[in-house]
Amino acid sequence: MNVVPEFLPVLSVGVGIHAAVTLFLLLRYLESREGLVGWWTGAYLLFTLHILVEGWIHPTTPSWVLFLRHSFFLASSWMLTVSFIRDAPSHPLARWPSLFALLAAAALGSSAFALKANWRWPWGAIPPSVVGGAGFVTAAFLFRRSEGWSRDLAGNLLFWGMVLTGFHALDYPFLRSDPLFSVVGAGLSGLFTLAFGFGIVLQAWHRTRELTLLHAVAEALNRSLNVRETLGDVLRQISDRLGLLGGWMYLWSQEKGEYVPGPTHSLPDVLARDPAALEGDCRCLQMLVRGELTHVVDLECERLDRLRFRLTNRHVTVPLRTSERTLGLMNFVVPPRRGLVPRELEMLSAIGFQVGMAIERTRLYEEVLAKEAVRTELLEKIISAQEDERRRIARELHDEAGQALTALILNLEMAEESLPDASSKIREQLHHLRELAEHTLGEIRKLIYDLRPTILDDLGLNAAIRWYLKNAVEPRGISVELEMPQSDRRLPHHVETAIFRIIQEALNNVVKHAQASKVHVAVHYNQTEVRVSVSDDGKGFNVGAVLARSDGGRGVGLLGMQERASLLGGKFSIVSAPGRGTRVELVLPLPPAAGSGDPTGTLEEESGGDAI
């Protein structure tokens, strides 16, 4: 079967098409590493080799070349069939690859026998052609089943490419003994393979479009924590990319206890003219309320029928689900003569689940915000109650104990002065008692200021910190360095109180335990947060060991600072080690209103190393 020279280009084109499709499949497999594409690549590589050998067969060709051609063809058919069976072990045809292998072996055996016996041409080629062709047709129907019997263009090209290749194999024993028919057969085989290749390209394009749509929807949903603001964009993305005629949503309203109209996009004119037309009952809402809407469905729309929309009366309904409940639905108007294939319906179902989870996330986020607002209000009341109690105790100490000690001091002084000079010993005792009472009164006054320094209420945080350092720290012989803004900006009352108490407790620990010679206090704040640090050069301590103590010792004060910081949503940390000093750090968030006092919108931290 020498090839006629004028038909050599046809043969070259046929073989070239097979080689191009094989190369495309190989590149796609290297990119995606899909097992299915890998099997297809192997199948069409063998099929290309079979076509190449077949095109150059002539009467003097050795019998083993014909045997090689049959082997390539059967192996190609077997690999294509296996590609659709391997992921469905329970399928009725799951044993087909083994059966096919037996049939292929029998076909090759009978072909070898016919070639050895020098039988006439067709009889040795019939068994491999029939078995291999049956394999291609079987693979086509297995593919159709795996795609849910979809009728999209890509699926049709893939299906008919394999079917026609299978049927075309049956004519090989009878028509290709002639050189002309051999070349024409290679060309037809190339066309059928080209159809299969176009189907692969279209399928890849469809998947790319689907991935792009899923990415666009995910990006829209993640653009804001309030998903309801982006649902209209989700409708637009789906409608535009799938070629649908707009859509609308129904969402569950907690306040009304029913499904209400939600965002819309490019509504049909009969609905756009009258927004109230979306209200009221319809088939899709009835299915939703009854719990029957568990997957994407294609429905005839009663609402569009009632409004006499002439273009179409069909829409695809997508439930918005979570793992526990259904939160609403999306309706998309389907153009006339447009059908959504199962793959597109599955993608819409996945998007519906994604949107449902995003809506649920928004609901939970709003609940957290509401609870956080209640928590913040409660914490402010707790701190306010604590400070009110401190004021009450300070007032009672001033009014009761302070007044009583003052009266005692006056009486002791009067008693001391009324004694005759001879009673020097008694006078000395009264003088000592008076000094003791005055010292006690001084301590009570100091305690009163510690409980609630009036300077914090009158002049603010900066002045209160300076006052405390000057009166409680410097008198102990500790050098003080202070950094804080020069502005008189006032923070929220509860924030100022918390910061002052934490600094007060930290400095109290420095005075009592650190044995430090120097302490550094820094306070910086901007529109969103306050940063505080208190560090000393004292002896330091083991933080973990101290915090683990429960005997009412030093760890109680540290835990109290942590608790105050956490109550206001702040971060508190202690860095210390024996012999290396201690550093206490605090970061507190500020509510938005806290920055309203700065007309520029930014606060410059004018800090300096002013020593007090």
Side-chain angles (χ1 to χ4, degrees), residues 52-67:
L52 190 62
V53 172
E54 179 180 305
W56 295 98
I57 292 177
H58 54 82
T60 61
T61 300
S63 59
W64 66 267
V65 176
L66 294 172
F67 187 81

Side-chain angles (χ1 to χ4, degrees), residues 15 29 162 180 225 253 264 302 332 337 567 594 602:
V15 174
Y29 171 72
M162 288 184 282
L180 173 61
L225 288 173
S253 171
T264 64
E302 295 177 347
F332 295 97
R337 296 178 297 280
L567 285 177
T602 58

Side-chain angles (χ1 to χ4, degrees), residues 368-383:
V368 169
L369 288 181
K371 291 179 180 179
E372 185 64 24
V374 173
R375 175 180 175 271
T376 301
E377 182 180 356
L378 180 60
L379 294 178
E380 290 182 10
K381 289 182 179 179
I382 290 174
I383 293 175

Side-chain angles (χ1 to χ4, degrees), residues 78 81-82 84-86 88-103 138 142:
W78 179 82
T81 306
V82 170
F84 298 108
I85 291 294
R86 61 190 186 87
S90 61
H91 192 270
L93 291 177
R95 297 182 179 179
W96 168 252
S98 301
L99 177 61
F100 184 91
L102 293 175
L103 292 174
T138 302
L142 288 173

Side-chain angles (χ1 to χ4, degrees), residues 387 391 452-461 464 490 493 496-497:
E387 295 304 316
R391 287 194 195 93
R452 185 65 192 183
T454 56
I455 193 172
L456 181 61
D457 296 324
D458 299 335
L459 300 180
L461 179 64
R490 295 299 300 267
H493 174 72
E496 286 191 340
T497 300

Side-chain angles (χ1 to χ4, degrees), residues 97 118 249 291 324 340 356 362 403 435-436 444 547 571:
N118 290 322
M249 286 188 180
E324 298 179 352
L340 294 180
T362 296
Q403 296 296 334
E435 288 181 343
L436 182 60
I444 288 179
L547 290 177
K571 298 178 181 178

